[in-house]
Amino acid sequence: MAQKKKFSSYLLYALGEILLIVLGIVIALQLQNWNEANKTAEATQLTLDRIKKEIVTNQQKIKRVHEYHKMVKDTLQKIKTPKTEDEVKKALSFWRGLQIPRMQESAFQTAIQTGVSKDVNVNLLESLNALYTSQSSYNEFSKTASQGLYNKDFSDVQNFKKIAIFLNMTMVDLYYFETELNYQFQKCLQEIDSLSN
């Protein structure tokens, strides 16, 4: 009987030790998971902060030129075709170049390349993808518009009407591009802010 009691005590002691070890392992794994979740959340928030800063920078670039592009579009629609070189210079006195800023995308690309984007809210990620696709199209349009403008012959007064039509079409497209980008900037910024609160 005494041996049975000793064996039972030993068995209870061993089970208690095993239970403590298992409990310690479970707690350690839980702490590790918690730490990893915190690191992921911090990395995601840091990435969203960088993307937000990039969006705000791009938004400011567009705001600086949007009214100018509208003014050029509106002015070109009212210009009468000049007949002399001096009249061309006078007619284009408002012109300050295309002024198409280059949209940045490094923060968003970094999020994709580092895999942090997989931890971003799906709705926000869809909005960001739409925004950055529009920005890429804007950048491509900028390149095409610049090349088209540089190929024009400004020395010939007879080309003025063609150049004015080209510039007007370019400014109309820019105006609508920028209007859409402003909407998308605002949408993404609101979504980022709603997730950060």
Side-chain angles (χ1 to χ4, degrees):
M1 182 73 113
Q3 248 182 332
K4 254 188 176 180
K5 205 173 193 184
K6 256 187 180 180
F7 181 73
S8 294
S9 294
Y10 176 72
L11 188 59
L12 282 174
Y13 176 77
L15 285 173
E17 289 291 317
I18 291 171
L19 188 60
L20 281 175
I21 291 170
V22 168
L23 190 59
I25 291 171
V26 168
I27 290 171
L29 287 173
Q30 195 62 28
L31 284 173
Q32 183 179 0
N33 289 342
W34 183 73
N35 284 336
E36 287 298 317
N38 280 343
K39 285 180 185 177
T40 299
E42 284 177 24
T44 302
Q45 188 57 51
L46 182 63
T47 297
L48 287 178
D49 291 344
R50 287 179 179 148
I51 290 172
K52 181 179 177 178
K53 184 178 177 184
E54 183 171 79
I55 290 171
V56 168
T57 300
N58 287 340
Q59 184 181 39
Q60 289 168 345
K61 288 177 180 181
I62 292 296
K63 281 182 179 178
R64 276 195 302 270
V65 298
H66 189 61
E67 286 305 312
Y68 169 74
H69 291 153
K70 183 180 183 312
M71 180 274 297
V72 171
K73 171 182 75 77
D74 294 344
T75 304
L76 284 169
Q77 291 172 354
K78 297 173 189 170
I79 287 182
K80 292 190 171 53
T81 306
K83 297 186 179 22
T84 66
E85 200 173 307
D86 286 338
E87 286 178 11
V88 169
K89 287 178 186 175
K90 194 180 277 187
L92 290 177
S93 62
F94 65 91
W95 178 250
R96 302 288 177 262
L98 285 175
Q99 294 192 28
I100 307 173
R102 180 118 181 109
M103 299 289 98
Q104 300 300 310
E105 59 181 46
S106 59
F108 185 64
Q109 288 301 322
T110 300
I112 292 169
Q113 292 166 358
T114 59
V116 174
S117 62
K118 71 179 174 21
D119 299 314
V120 173
N121 174 285
V122 174
N123 292 330
L124 173 58
L125 195 55
E126 286 177 355
S127 296
L128 289 170
N129 275 320
L131 169 62
Y132 280 90
T133 299
S134 294
Q135 285 185 179
S136 292
S137 296
Y138 184 84
N139 286 339
E140 281 301 311
F141 181 79
S142 167
K143 191 166 49 172
T144 302
S146 296
Q147 289 170 346
L149 185 62
Y150 296 141
N151 290 330
K152 302 291 181 207
D153 181 9
F154 287 90
S155 64
D156 186 359
V157 176
Q158 302 303 316
N159 280 331
F160 180 83
K161 192 165 187 154
K162 290 179 187 176
I163 293 170
I165 290 170
F166 172 80
L167 286 176
N168 187 43
M169 290 171 44
T170 300
M171 293 300 144
V172 168
D173 288 345
L174 282 173
Y175 178 77
Y176 287 111
F177 251 129
E178 291 164 358
T179 300
E180 177 61 22
L181 281 172
N182 278 324
Y183 168 77
Q184 290 179 314
F185 289 143
Q186 215 45 49
K187 182 180 180 197
C188 288
L189 290 173
Q190 288 171 349
E191 288 184 33
I192 290 170
D193 288 342
S194 73
L195 293 174
S196 297
N197 295 334

